[in-house]
Amino acid sequence: MPRIILASQSPRRRQLLGQIGIEHFDILVPEADESYDPALPPEEIVCSICRKKADAARALACDGDAVIIAADTMVFLDGLRLGKPHSREDAFAMLSALSGRTHLVCTGVTVCRGAQCETRAETTEVCFRPMTDVEKWDYIRTGEPMDKAGAYGVQGKAALFVSGIRGDYFNVMGLPLHLLGQMLADFGVSLFSEEADT
């Protein structure tokens, strides 16, 4: 298997790579311009940002044979992005907006190797059941929402609020594994053999 570089410091993405058998990889978190045009569709926004992350990591790595994986995940409700909350009150407002509603989680994934580069996006619909104010505040007190887009992490206690998911569950965690597997195969990385074709 070629050298794998993950252009992310997300512990969830590191965990998910290990889950599909990529146990040895380097982490590079270069600075990248994450500005975007809010008028763009959600999938174009996340694709634009993850491409910038991948390009910055490729320049930093200086390794033309390495396979670089970059991703960017955003939560959208009614076309508006919900970022990470700045305060507990902000988290409460986000959870209130999501309560009893369906929202979108979009992830852009870029894979690069040398001059070859591919970017694709995955979108998942997530339905929340109605939440009481007490439940929201109890969840906020766990500290889980404060560093997560949309003020929740599906892999934690917020799973209690999710009444349904249409699409890739792992996308909601930050890395759509079936899409990544297809993209890596395009770059000669087989995750079902002991030794990848390089």
Side-chain angles (χ1 to χ4, degrees):
M1 184 176 288
R3 179 189 179 198
I4 303 287
I5 296 174
L6 176 63
S8 172
Q9 58 187 355
S10 164
R12 288 166 293 283
R13 291 190 181 121
R14 294 199 299 266
Q15 171 194 344
L16 290 171
L17 283 187
Q19 182 173 325
I20 59 173
I22 303 176
E23 298 176 355
H24 304 290
F25 56 91
D26 297 324
I27 295 173
L28 285 178
V29 189
E31 291 187 13
D33 174 19
E34 297 192 24
S35 61
Y36 62 90
D37 180 355
L40 291 173
E43 290 192 347
E44 289 187 29
I45 292 173
V46 294
C47 283
S48 170
I49 293 174
C50 73
R51 273 195 302 265
K52 293 176 185 177
K53 290 180 178 179
D55 287 342
R58 183 165 45 176
L60 191 63
C62 297
D63 184 348
D65 193 50
V67 174
I68 295 172
I69 301 168
D72 190 75
T73 302
M74 292 185 178
V75 176
F76 293 88
L77 180 66
D78 297 331
L80 299 176
R81 178 194 175 199
L82 300 182
K84 297 178 182 179
H86 301 295
S87 66
R88 289 160 58 119
E89 290 73 22
D90 195 20
F92 182 85
M94 288 187 190
L95 293 170
S96 296
L98 295 172
S99 179
R101 304 279 310 280
T102 297
H103 62 276
L104 301 179
V105 177
C106 298
T107 301
V109 180
T110 295
V111 177
C112 295
R113 189 177 192 183
Q116 184 183 2
C117 206
E118 181 181 358
T119 300
R120 295 171 65 183
E122 184 74 25
T123 299
T124 303
E125 292 183 1
V126 182
C127 302
F128 269 25
R129 66 166 174 80
M131 295 175 277
T132 68
D133 287 352
V134 171
E135 288 175 323
K136 294 172 212 166
W137 282 120
D138 283 347
Y139 177 57
I140 291 167
R141 288 188 193 97
T142 68
E144 282 186 15
M146 301 314 296
D147 67 340
K148 296 175 179 65
Y152 79 94
V154 71
Q155 71 280 2
K157 276 199 161 186
L160 296 169
F161 305 141
V162 177
S163 61
I165 291 179
R166 179 178 296 174
D168 186 345
Y169 167 81
F170 300 105
N171 181 46
V172 187
M173 287 182 66
L175 195 60
L177 295 182
H178 85 282
L179 176 63
L180 177 62
Q182 293 170 0
M183 295 173 73
L184 288 173
D186 292 342
F187 284 76
V189 180
S190 172
L191 298 173
F192 284 105
S193 63
E194 291 184 8
E195 191 167 315
D197 298 329
T198 56

